[in-house]
Amino acid sequence: MSVLKNDLMPVRTANDIVVVRQHVRALAIELGFSLVDQTKMVTAASELARNTLAHGGGGTARIEVVAANARRGLKMTFEDRGKGIADLELAMRDGYSTGGGLGLGLSGTRRLMNEFELQSKPGEGTRVSATRWK
Amino acid sequence: MTPRDTSVLPSVLQKRSGELLDAWIAHQTSADGYRPDLMADAELRDQSRELLASASAAVSAGGLESPTHPSWQATRQLLGSIAESRATAGFAPTATATFVLSLKQPIFEALRKDVQNPERLADELWNATTLIDRLALQTMESTLEARERVIARQHEDMLELSTPVVKLWDGILALPMIGTLDSARTQVVMESLLQRIVETGAEVAIIDITGVPTVDTLVAQHLIKTVTAARLMGADCIISGIRPQIAATIVHLGVDLSEVATKSTLADAFRLALARTGHSLGRAPARERR
Ligand SMILES: Nc1ncnc2c1ncn2[C@@H]1O[C@H](COP(=O)(O)OP(=O)(O)OP(=O)(O)O)[C@@H](O)[C@H]1O
Ligand SMILES: [Mg+2]
């Protein structure tokens, strides 16, 4: 997989989430994704960015345009050094939330994207990345 | 004067990249403008490393020749995004320029170690100063642009705050929502709707989300909560303006809106509301009546 474009953005305020979303939408349009796909990716970015801020105490978003096997895609990686997640399987379960949410952010994002990876260690932080291919 | 193509700067930047980064970070974190409250150390380090690597690559690819040399393309982009993120985080424009300028000291120190001839050193320092000043100016420009964009966005957010609850008909309220919904303001808008339901004794409230670009789980939860609260106060809600791409996304997210009445347009929702409140539009087709 090669990286054609790579932007690192802060996720520290609610407004940062808006900025990340706008950036993802602009790149998705540039890559020629359909309106439905654009919406899916923007929504996924919104979920992961909000988790980074709300559960992870803030961090960064890395938004990349990637290429592999003659396809291009958009990869988003969210990273924080917050409290981390003890039980990854539980966190991925539909409806599980420690914050009074719907508990659909992680599991929903996995359904919205083609690739999804969640890494976390309690006390060290969390890194989630998700990719959608054109 | 040292011709630029024989400058040692490219090799110094490459060879001493690790120590330059450490010295630069140490410099930044002990300087006046150090704001760990605005940016975490890890992020500061990432940003510094990326900028240093990018400038080093540009210089190696012939960037000392001219500020418009194509090798600067990536650095320019990077500075743009750094400026934007710092403006959004709340750094003053001068603080962001200082971040770049503070790279001078470590680079000067490195050059002093590597260049023994004083005249040669003077030339190299001049090259380095010109380079860093140029990067700082560029950052300043991007920062000002970024601040303008931030202000424009804040303006949009204000619009959101003033989203009006309108009385469409006797017993029917409408809330046309515009803009991004995931701030504390959503709460305010939703509460103002509930308040108006109480004041007017409305039986039906239409929440129109045509102007909402993203419906994620938080927005969905706000909608569901509002519908539930309105129901407790005796009013039915209809959500209108769910565009096809948003409907598809909501389904994949796993959000269940089956308990909530939805219509594709505000006009359709209004017809349904009229029917529910026992009114009818004279020219509405018979099948729209209940
Ligand atoms: N970055 C993170 N750091 C720490 N914990 C996290 C992080 N992301 C998710 N979690 C944990 O995983 C749980 C599930 O996340 P998920 O996004 O699915 O639901 P939620 O954020 O609680 O609600 P919502 O449906 O609004 O997203 C969270 O409640 C939280 O406990
Ligand atoms: Mg979430």
PDB file of all heavy atoms in Angstrom, chain B residues 50-76:
ATOM      1  N   GLU B  50       7.766  16.026  11.384  1.00  0.00           N
ATOM      2  CA  GLU B  50       7.291  16.055  10.000  1.00  0.00           C
ATOM      3  C   GLU B  50       7.840  17.259   9.245  1.00  0.00           C
ATOM      4  O   GLU B  50       8.267  17.150   8.107  1.00  0.00           O
ATOM      5  CB  GLU B  50       5.766  16.099   9.974  1.00  0.00           C
ATOM      6  CG  GLU B  50       5.138  14.733  10.129  1.00  0.00           C
ATOM      7  CD  GLU B  50       3.678  14.736   9.695  1.00  0.00           C
ATOM      8  OE1 GLU B  50       3.381  15.281   8.619  1.00  0.00           O
ATOM      9  OE2 GLU B  50       2.850  14.235  10.442  1.00  0.00           O
ATOM     10  N   LEU B  51       7.822  18.414   9.915  1.00  0.00           N
ATOM     11  CA  LEU B  51       8.275  19.627   9.242  1.00  0.00           C
ATOM     12  C   LEU B  51       9.772  19.559   8.934  1.00  0.00           C
ATOM     13  O   LEU B  51      10.219  19.905   7.841  1.00  0.00           O
ATOM     14  CB  LEU B  51       7.950  20.855  10.102  1.00  0.00           C
ATOM     15  CG  LEU B  51       8.344  22.203   9.490  1.00  0.00           C
ATOM     16  CD1 LEU B  51       7.699  22.383   8.118  1.00  0.00           C
ATOM     17  CD2 LEU B  51       7.943  23.350  10.404  1.00  0.00           C
ATOM     18  N   LEU B  52      10.519  19.074   9.911  1.00  0.00           N
ATOM     19  CA  LEU B  52      11.964  18.964   9.736  1.00  0.00           C
ATOM     20  C   LEU B  52      12.293  18.017   8.584  1.00  0.00           C
ATOM     21  O   LEU B  52      13.119  18.322   7.713  1.00  0.00           O
ATOM     22  CB  LEU B  52      12.594  18.475  11.042  1.00  0.00           C
ATOM     23  CG  LEU B  52      14.099  18.641  11.194  1.00  0.00           C
ATOM     24  CD1 LEU B  52      14.515  20.087  10.998  1.00  0.00           C
ATOM     25  CD2 LEU B  52      14.544  18.160  12.578  1.00  0.00           C
ATOM     26  N   ALA B  53      11.598  16.865   8.568  1.00  0.00           N
ATOM     27  CA  ALA B  53      11.853  15.872   7.523  1.00  0.00           C
ATOM     28  C   ALA B  53      11.495  16.440   6.154  1.00  0.00           C
ATOM     29  O   ALA B  53      12.219  16.247   5.173  1.00  0.00           O
ATOM     30  CB  ALA B  53      11.042  14.609   7.805  1.00  0.00           C
ATOM     31  N   SER B  54      10.371  17.163   6.119  1.00  0.00           N
ATOM     32  CA  SER B  54       9.919  17.695   4.836  1.00  0.00           C
ATOM     33  C   SER B  54      10.878  18.772   4.325  1.00  0.00           C
ATOM     34  O   SER B  54      11.223  18.785   3.142  1.00  0.00           O
ATOM     35  CB  SER B  54       8.507  18.249   5.019  1.00  0.00           C
ATOM     36  OG  SER B  54       8.127  18.995   3.918  1.00  0.00           O
ATOM     37  N   ALA B  55      11.329  19.662   5.220  1.00  0.00           N
ATOM     38  CA  ALA B  55      12.263  20.718   4.806  1.00  0.00           C
ATOM     39  C   ALA B  55      13.581  20.095   4.359  1.00  0.00           C
ATOM     40  O   ALA B  55      14.179  20.506   3.361  1.00  0.00           O
ATOM     41  CB  ALA B  55      12.487  21.701   5.948  1.00  0.00           C
ATOM     42  N   SER B  56      14.013  19.078   5.091  1.00  0.00           N
ATOM     43  CA  SER B  56      15.256  18.407   4.754  1.00  0.00           C
ATOM     44  C   SER B  56      15.168  17.770   3.368  1.00  0.00           C
ATOM     45  O   SER B  56      16.091  17.886   2.552  1.00  0.00           O
ATOM     46  CB  SER B  56      15.541  17.352   5.828  1.00  0.00           C
ATOM     47  OG  SER B  56      16.579  16.516   5.425  1.00  0.00           O
ATOM     48  N   ALA B  57      14.033  17.127   3.092  1.00  0.00           N
ATOM     49  CA  ALA B  57      13.848  16.495   1.782  1.00  0.00           C
ATOM     50  C   ALA B  57      13.853  17.548   0.679  1.00  0.00           C
ATOM     51  O   ALA B  57      14.468  17.353  -0.377  1.00  0.00           O
ATOM     52  CB  ALA B  57      12.538  15.705   1.756  1.00  0.00           C
ATOM     53  N   ALA B  58      13.193  18.683   0.948  1.00  0.00           N
ATOM     54  CA  ALA B  58      13.112  19.739  -0.068  1.00  0.00           C
ATOM     55  C   ALA B  58      14.500  20.308  -0.362  1.00  0.00           C
ATOM     56  O   ALA B  58      14.873  20.510  -1.511  1.00  0.00           O
ATOM     57  CB  ALA B  58      12.168  20.837   0.403  1.00  0.00           C
ATOM     58  N   VAL B  59      15.271  20.528   0.698  1.00  0.00           N
ATOM     59  CA  VAL B  59      16.609  21.088   0.537  1.00  0.00           C
ATOM     60  C   VAL B  59      17.503  20.117  -0.242  1.00  0.00           C
ATOM     61  O   VAL B  59      18.259  20.515  -1.127  1.00  0.00           O
ATOM     62  CB  VAL B  59      17.213  21.414   1.922  1.00  0.00           C
ATOM     63  CG1 VAL B  59      18.690  21.661   1.821  1.00  0.00           C
ATOM     64  CG2 VAL B  59      16.524  22.648   2.518  1.00  0.00           C
ATOM     65  N   SER B  60      17.370  18.834   0.069  1.00  0.00           N
ATOM     66  CA  SER B  60      18.178  17.836  -0.635  1.00  0.00           C
ATOM     67  C   SER B  60      17.816  17.765  -2.107  1.00  0.00           C
ATOM     68  O   SER B  60      18.637  17.408  -2.944  1.00  0.00           O
ATOM     69  CB  SER B  60      17.972  16.451  -0.018  1.00  0.00           C
ATOM     70  OG  SER B  60      18.478  16.435   1.273  1.00  0.00           O
ATOM     71  N   ALA B  61      16.553  18.072  -2.421  1.00  0.00           N
ATOM     72  CA  ALA B  61      16.100  17.970  -3.809  1.00  0.00           C
ATOM     73  C   ALA B  61      16.313  19.273  -4.560  1.00  0.00           C
ATOM     74  O   ALA B  61      15.692  19.518  -5.586  1.00  0.00           O
ATOM     75  CB  ALA B  61      14.633  17.549  -3.845  1.00  0.00           C
ATOM     76  N   GLY B  62      17.151  20.132  -4.026  1.00  0.00           N
ATOM     77  CA  GLY B  62      17.479  21.353  -4.766  1.00  0.00           C
ATOM     78  C   GLY B  62      16.718  22.594  -4.325  1.00  0.00           C
ATOM     79  O   GLY B  62      16.727  23.620  -4.995  1.00  0.00           O
ATOM     80  N   GLY B  63      16.068  22.496  -3.190  1.00  0.00           N
ATOM     81  CA  GLY B  63      15.213  23.583  -2.720  1.00  0.00           C
ATOM     82  C   GLY B  63      15.934  24.878  -2.383  1.00  0.00           C
ATOM     83  O   GLY B  63      15.319  25.939  -2.365  1.00  0.00           O
ATOM     84  N   LEU B  64      17.263  24.790  -2.135  1.00  0.00           N
ATOM     85  CA  LEU B  64      17.988  26.015  -1.779  1.00  0.00           C
ATOM     86  C   LEU B  64      18.092  26.960  -2.985  1.00  0.00           C
ATOM     87  O   LEU B  64      18.326  28.153  -2.841  1.00  0.00           O
ATOM     88  CB  LEU B  64      19.392  25.678  -1.268  1.00  0.00           C
ATOM     89  CG  LEU B  64      19.483  25.169   0.171  1.00  0.00           C
ATOM     90  CD1 LEU B  64      20.916  24.835   0.523  1.00  0.00           C
ATOM     91  CD2 LEU B  64      18.921  26.197   1.146  1.00  0.00           C
ATOM     92  N   GLU B  65      17.916  26.393  -4.154  1.00  0.00           N
ATOM     93  CA  GLU B  65      18.016  27.170  -5.369  1.00  0.00           C
ATOM     94  C   GLU B  65      17.067  28.358  -5.380  1.00  0.00           C
ATOM     95  O   GLU B  65      17.473  29.479  -5.666  1.00  0.00           O
ATOM     96  CB  GLU B  65      17.669  26.262  -6.538  1.00  0.00           C
ATOM     97  CG  GLU B  65      18.691  26.246  -7.642  1.00  0.00           C
ATOM     98  CD  GLU B  65      18.260  25.191  -8.645  1.00  0.00           C
ATOM     99  OE1 GLU B  65      17.399  25.474  -9.484  1.00  0.00           O
ATOM    100  OE2 GLU B  65      18.773  24.065  -8.541  1.00  0.00           O
ATOM    101  N   SER B  66      15.779  28.055  -5.072  1.00  0.00           N
ATOM    102  CA  SER B  66      14.813  29.152  -5.055  1.00  0.00           C
ATOM    103  C   SER B  66      13.599  28.756  -4.218  1.00  0.00           C
ATOM    104  O   SER B  66      13.288  27.576  -4.096  1.00  0.00           O
ATOM    105  CB  SER B  66      14.395  29.486  -6.492  1.00  0.00           C
ATOM    106  OG  SER B  66      13.063  29.087  -6.705  1.00  0.00           O
ATOM    107  N   PRO B  67      12.919  29.751  -3.642  1.00  0.00           N
ATOM    108  CA  PRO B  67      11.753  29.434  -2.809  1.00  0.00           C
ATOM    109  C   PRO B  67      10.602  28.866  -3.626  1.00  0.00           C
ATOM    110  O   PRO B  67       9.683  28.273  -3.061  1.00  0.00           O
ATOM    111  CB  PRO B  67      11.365  30.781  -2.200  1.00  0.00           C
ATOM    112  CG  PRO B  67      12.108  31.827  -2.967  1.00  0.00           C
ATOM    113  CD  PRO B  67      13.262  31.176  -3.636  1.00  0.00           C
ATOM    114  N   THR B  68      10.658  29.041  -4.956  1.00  0.00           N
ATOM    115  CA  THR B  68       9.550  28.521  -5.764  1.00  0.00           C
ATOM    116  C   THR B  68       9.908  27.178  -6.402  1.00  0.00           C
ATOM    117  O   THR B  68       9.158  26.648  -7.203  1.00  0.00           O
ATOM    118  CB  THR B  68       9.178  29.516  -6.881  1.00  0.00           C
ATOM    119  OG1 THR B  68      10.380  29.866  -7.589  1.00  0.00           O
ATOM    120  CG2 THR B  68       8.549  30.772  -6.319  1.00  0.00           C
ATOM    121  N   HIS B  69      11.069  26.629  -6.034  1.00  0.00           N
ATOM    122  CA  HIS B  69      11.491  25.323  -6.558  1.00  0.00           C
ATOM    123  C   HIS B  69      10.415  24.276  -6.239  1.00  0.00           C
ATOM    124  O   HIS B  69       9.840  24.282  -5.153  1.00  0.00           O
ATOM    125  CB  HIS B  69      12.817  24.932  -5.888  1.00  0.00           C
ATOM    126  CG  HIS B  69      13.518  23.806  -6.570  1.00  0.00           C
ATOM    127  ND1 HIS B  69      13.247  22.493  -6.287  1.00  0.00           N
ATOM    128  CD2 HIS B  69      14.474  23.793  -7.536  1.00  0.00           C
ATOM    129  CE1 HIS B  69      14.010  21.716  -7.044  1.00  0.00           C
ATOM    130  NE2 HIS B  69      14.767  22.493  -7.812  1.00  0.00           N
ATOM    131  N   PRO B  70      10.106  23.386  -7.210  1.00  0.00           N
ATOM    132  CA  PRO B  70       9.016  22.405  -6.995  1.00  0.00           C
ATOM    133  C   PRO B  70       9.226  21.509  -5.765  1.00  0.00           C
ATOM    134  O   PRO B  70       8.251  20.962  -5.233  1.00  0.00           O
ATOM    135  CB  PRO B  70       9.017  21.580  -8.284  1.00  0.00           C
ATOM    136  CG  PRO B  70      10.194  22.038  -9.090  1.00  0.00           C
ATOM    137  CD  PRO B  70      10.631  23.350  -8.578  1.00  0.00           C
ATOM    138  N   SER B  71      10.463  21.392  -5.305  1.00  0.00           N
ATOM    139  CA  SER B  71      10.693  20.505  -4.159  1.00  0.00           C
ATOM    140  C   SER B  71      10.007  21.027  -2.886  1.00  0.00           C
ATOM    141  O   SER B  71       9.869  20.296  -1.914  1.00  0.00           O
ATOM    142  CB  SER B  71      12.197  20.370  -3.912  1.00  0.00           C
ATOM    143  OG  SER B  71      12.757  21.631  -3.626  1.00  0.00           O
ATOM    144  N   TRP B  72       9.555  22.289  -2.897  1.00  0.00           N
ATOM    145  CA  TRP B  72       8.920  22.856  -1.699  1.00  0.00           C
ATOM    146  C   TRP B  72       7.429  22.561  -1.599  1.00  0.00           C
ATOM    147  O   TRP B  72       6.794  22.866  -0.584  1.00  0.00           O
ATOM    148  CB  TRP B  72       9.136  24.378  -1.648  1.00  0.00           C
ATOM    149  CG  TRP B  72      10.543  24.728  -1.310  1.00  0.00           C
ATOM    150  CD1 TRP B  72      11.469  25.305  -2.123  1.00  0.00           C
ATOM    151  CD2 TRP B  72      11.195  24.517  -0.052  1.00  0.00           C
ATOM    152  NE1 TRP B  72      12.653  25.453  -1.478  1.00  0.00           N
ATOM    153  CE2 TRP B  72      12.521  24.975  -0.194  1.00  0.00           C
ATOM    154  CE3 TRP B  72      10.787  23.966   1.167  1.00  0.00           C
ATOM    155  CZ2 TRP B  72      13.441  24.921   0.844  1.00  0.00           C
ATOM    156  CZ3 TRP B  72      11.699  23.903   2.207  1.00  0.00           C
ATOM    157  CH2 TRP B  72      13.011  24.361   2.040  1.00  0.00           C
ATOM    158  N   GLN B  73       6.897  21.999  -2.684  1.00  0.00           N
ATOM    159  CA  GLN B  73       5.452  21.744  -2.740  1.00  0.00           C
ATOM    160  C   GLN B  73       4.907  21.073  -1.471  1.00  0.00           C
ATOM    161  O   GLN B  73       3.984  21.564  -0.837  1.00  0.00           O
ATOM    162  CB  GLN B  73       5.203  20.856  -3.976  1.00  0.00           C
ATOM    163  CG  GLN B  73       3.811  20.305  -4.106  1.00  0.00           C
ATOM    164  CD  GLN B  73       2.872  21.368  -4.624  1.00  0.00           C
ATOM    165  OE1 GLN B  73       3.309  22.381  -5.180  1.00  0.00           O
ATOM    166  NE2 GLN B  73       1.585  21.177  -4.426  1.00  0.00           N
ATOM    167  N   ALA B  74       5.523  19.940  -1.080  1.00  0.00           N
ATOM    168  CA  ALA B  74       5.007  19.179   0.062  1.00  0.00           C
ATOM    169  C   ALA B  74       5.138  19.982   1.354  1.00  0.00           C
ATOM    170  O   ALA B  74       4.249  19.958   2.206  1.00  0.00           O
ATOM    171  CB  ALA B  74       5.764  17.863   0.189  1.00  0.00           C
ATOM    172  N   THR B  75       6.247  20.704   1.504  1.00  0.00           N
ATOM    173  CA  THR B  75       6.462  21.493   2.715  1.00  0.00           C
ATOM    174  C   THR B  75       5.401  22.597   2.828  1.00  0.00           C
ATOM    175  O   THR B  75       4.890  22.870   3.910  1.00  0.00           O
ATOM    176  CB  THR B  75       7.863  22.131   2.697  1.00  0.00           C
ATOM    177  OG1 THR B  75       8.812  21.132   2.353  1.00  0.00           O
ATOM    178  CG2 THR B  75       8.204  22.726   4.049  1.00  0.00           C
ATOM    179  N   ARG B  76       5.115  23.204   1.676  1.00  0.00           N
ATOM    180  CA  ARG B  76       4.092  24.258   1.680  1.00  0.00           C
ATOM    181  C   ARG B  76       2.761  23.713   2.178  1.00  0.00           C
ATOM    182  O   ARG B  76       2.086  24.314   3.001  1.00  0.00           O
ATOM    183  CB  ARG B  76       3.930  24.822   0.275  1.00  0.00           C
ATOM    184  CG  ARG B  76       4.378  26.288   0.160  1.00  0.00           C
ATOM    185  CD  ARG B  76       3.833  26.958  -1.071  1.00  0.00           C
ATOM    186  NE  ARG B  76       4.168  26.231  -2.296  1.00  0.00           N
ATOM    187  CZ  ARG B  76       5.348  26.338  -2.916  1.00  0.00           C
ATOM    188  NH1 ARG B  76       6.274  27.139  -2.435  1.00  0.00           N
ATOM    189  NH2 ARG B  76       5.585  25.656  -4.013  1.00  0.00           N
TER     190      ARG B  76
END
